[in-house]
Amino acid sequence: MAVIEQSPGEDGNAVPSPGELQYRLHQQSVLADFGIEALRARELAPMLRRAVELCAAGMRSPYAKLLEYDDESGKLLVREGVGWRAGVVGAVEMDSDARSPAGFAFHSGEAVISNHLDNEERFRTPAFMADHGICRAINVVVEAGGRKFGVLEVDSAEEGQFEAADLAFMQGFANLIGVAIERQHAEQRLAAAIEHQELLTREASHRVKNSLALVSAMLNLQMQEDEDPRIARMLGDAQARITAIAQAHDRLWRGQQVGIVALDELVCGIVSNLADQACLDNVDCDICAAELNADIAIPVGLMVTELVTNAIKYAADAGPITVRLAQTGAEFVLTVTDRGPGLPTDFDLKAMSRESLGMRMIASLARQLRGQLDFADAGPGMRVTLRFPDPRR
């Protein structure tokens, strides 16, 4: 229950005058404006500063302040304020015991109106308020997240009355401040949780990349020890696929956005690695700058690995190999072109998929990307085209 000091003869049931009604409507308008600003606010300090400014304007008083309770010192700090001389806001602390209006409001949880501080027997007036000639004050508690944040106070150096209706206005302000503080704290906790999750995801991608690099190194050692060229080729193909996935995870943990891969960096990195392994300098890569989710980027990287590996295997000595990835409207178009012997006259992807693991993977990756494959003569050579939808649309 609010602690309200009333003057002798004050009638709480008096009919308000037109001027009084206008004043109360003005307060409701100010309260509504702050409600909108509080919901939009993303930073705490500017929101609290604006709350104090609008609260003072709504109460038509030059003095207002927000006192924040400090758990360590047990004092109330003037966190924000208007009307006070330099050196008060952000510096002055008040005892939070029940001997001051603000301290009583904070500890009791009850709003306090004191219209004659100079004659008060219940409370003492803090020194800095007395220095400003403050003679009356109204205090309401600000709560956020189930705990007391502090006290919102409006003061005046002029004789007059703070009334119960003023208390309702102040309590509305305090409630909005509390909700805004609670929302911002919740957003901060959420941001911290997301940041922690991103850190874990980056760490996982980094470890996956390192593990795959270790597997690739083991395959390389096995290739060096095995004299069978067929087995060495199969191990080399497996190593290229593992390296492509490892490169994708390397991009994942290094990227600015978790789970997002820059296609141009990934694909050109894969192509460059394959060219270096084959000691080739005639492999050209032109990839559009696009960022895609890893679920799409990794299959694209594996597709490029398979197509470029085939081109190197059958057409490395015939001329340049070109890799292009462009975006046209709502789809991506990947093309790998060589200058080799071209397509066999009886080429059939389904038949080849039954005989070749590489072709089987190409067909499977195309389905995964919901794409359409086309094998065509390049005159000379062969051109493989994959069209797949942009998953971002």
Side-chain angles (χ1 to χ4, degrees):
M1 186 176 188
V3 178
I4 302 175
E5 176 202 347
Q6 293 183 330
S7 298
E10 181 180 349
D11 183 4
N13 298 317
V15 178
S17 67
E20 174 74 8
L21 288 174
Q22 190 67 29
Y23 175 45
R24 300 305 172 195
L25 288 173
H26 169 69
Q27 286 185 333
Q28 293 304 310
S29 176
V30 170
L31 191 60
D33 289 342
F34 175 68
I36 295 173
E37 294 191 31
L39 290 173
R40 293 175 177 172
R42 289 294 177 266
E43 296 183 13
L44 184 59
M47 186 273 294
L48 296 179
R49 191 175 308 117
R50 186 61 174 156
V52 172
E53 293 171 353
L54 287 176
C55 192
M59 293 289 289
R60 296 178 179 173
S61 174
Y63 297 102
K65 58 182 177 287
L66 180 71
L67 301 164
E68 181 179 2
Y69 181 72
D70 180 41
D71 291 321
E72 293 185 3
S73 66
K75 292 182 178 293
L76 292 166
L77 169 69
V78 181
R79 171 74 180 267
E80 295 291 344
V82 293
W84 308 101
R85 300 186 190 116
V88 172
V89 176
V92 170
E93 291 181 328
M94 297 171 48
D95 291 331
S96 61
D97 60 73
R99 289 294 297 157
S100 70
F104 182 89
F106 182 79
H107 281 291
S108 68
E110 298 177 353
V112 176
I113 292 179
S114 182
N115 285 317
H116 300 88
L117 285 173
D118 50 348
N119 296 324
E120 270 286 1
E121 296 181 356
R122 299 170 302 169
F123 309 122
R124 66 175 182 274
T125 303
F128 79 96
M129 292 174 59
D131 291 342
H132 287 75
I134 301 300
C135 63
R136 54 194 175 104
I138 179 170
N139 297 264
V140 292
V141 180
V142 176
E143 295 187 1
R147 61 178 294 271
K148 296 174 184 177
F149 178 83
V151 176
L152 178 64
E153 179 174 340
V154 169
D155 307 294
S156 178
E158 298 179 358
E159 295 294 333
Q161 299 290 322
F162 288 132
E163 301 175 1
D166 294 315
L167 195 60
F169 167 74
M170 293 277 292
Q171 192 62 64
F173 247 92
N175 293 343
L176 288 173
I177 292 172
V179 170
I181 292 173
E182 185 175 354
R183 177 179 59 80
Q184 291 194 15
H185 286 173
E187 289 179 354
Q188 290 171 1
R189 292 193 296 271
L190 178 60
I194 291 173
E195 183 178 354
H196 180 66
Q197 185 62 42
E198 288 182 352
L199 179 62
L200 293 178
T201 302
R202 291 181 192 277
E203 178 64 20
S205 293
H206 181 53
R207 293 190 179 190
V208 169
K209 174 254 182 183
N210 287 342
S211 297
L212 292 174
L214 179 61
V215 174
S216 178
M218 293 171 63
L219 290 175
N220 188 54
L221 289 174
Q222 186 65 43
M223 281 190 293
Q224 294 177 10
E225 293 182 2
D226 205 306
E227 298 179 356
D228 188 331
R230 179 175 174 274
I231 293 178
R233 185 174 65 252
M234 292 173 61
L235 291 174
D237 290 346
Q239 184 188 35
R241 293 161 186 151
I242 290 172
T243 299
I245 299 174
Q247 285 184 287
H249 279 278
D250 188 43
R251 302 294 176 188
L252 277 173
W253 83 269
R254 294 180 187 274
Q256 293 183 348
Q257 292 181 276
V258 174
I260 302 298
V261 178
L263 275 185
D264 53 343
E265 296 178 2
L266 173 64
V267 174
C268 287
I270 290 172
V271 171
S272 177
N273 184 67
L274 292 172
D276 289 344
Q277 287 182 345
C279 299
L280 297 177
D281 57 5
N282 61 346
V283 181
D284 181 37
C285 184
D286 181 14
I287 308 299
C288 66
E291 295 184 336
L292 295 181
N293 188 284
D295 293 339
I296 300 297
I298 291 177
V300 171
L302 286 171
M303 177 67 79
V304 170
T305 299
E306 296 300 324
L307 296 178
V308 173
T309 297
N310 280 346
I312 291 174
K313 187 182 300 183
Y314 298 111
D317 298 331
I321 298 170
T322 60
V323 182
R324 300 281 185 271
L325 180 62
Q327 186 173 8
T328 58
E331 68 176 5
F332 288 99
V333 181
L334 170 68
T335 58
V336 177
T337 307
D338 62 53
R339 293 294 180 265
L343 277 174
T345 54
D346 59 346
F347 175 81
D348 180 74
L349 179 59
K350 290 184 179 180
M352 290 291 293
S353 297
R354 290 192 290 268
E355 301 174 6
S356 167
L357 175 60
M359 283 296 177
R360 192 153 60 246
M361 286 194 65
I362 289 172
S364 176
L365 290 167
R367 289 193 297 270
Q368 186 175 342
L369 292 168
R370 296 188 295 122
Q372 295 181 340
L373 270 172
D374 179 63
F375 292 78
D377 284 314
M382 180 174 68
R383 177 181 296 108
V384 182
T385 302
L386 171 67
R387 297 177 180 273
F388 61 96
D390 185 345
R392 300 169 299 181
R393 300 193 178 188

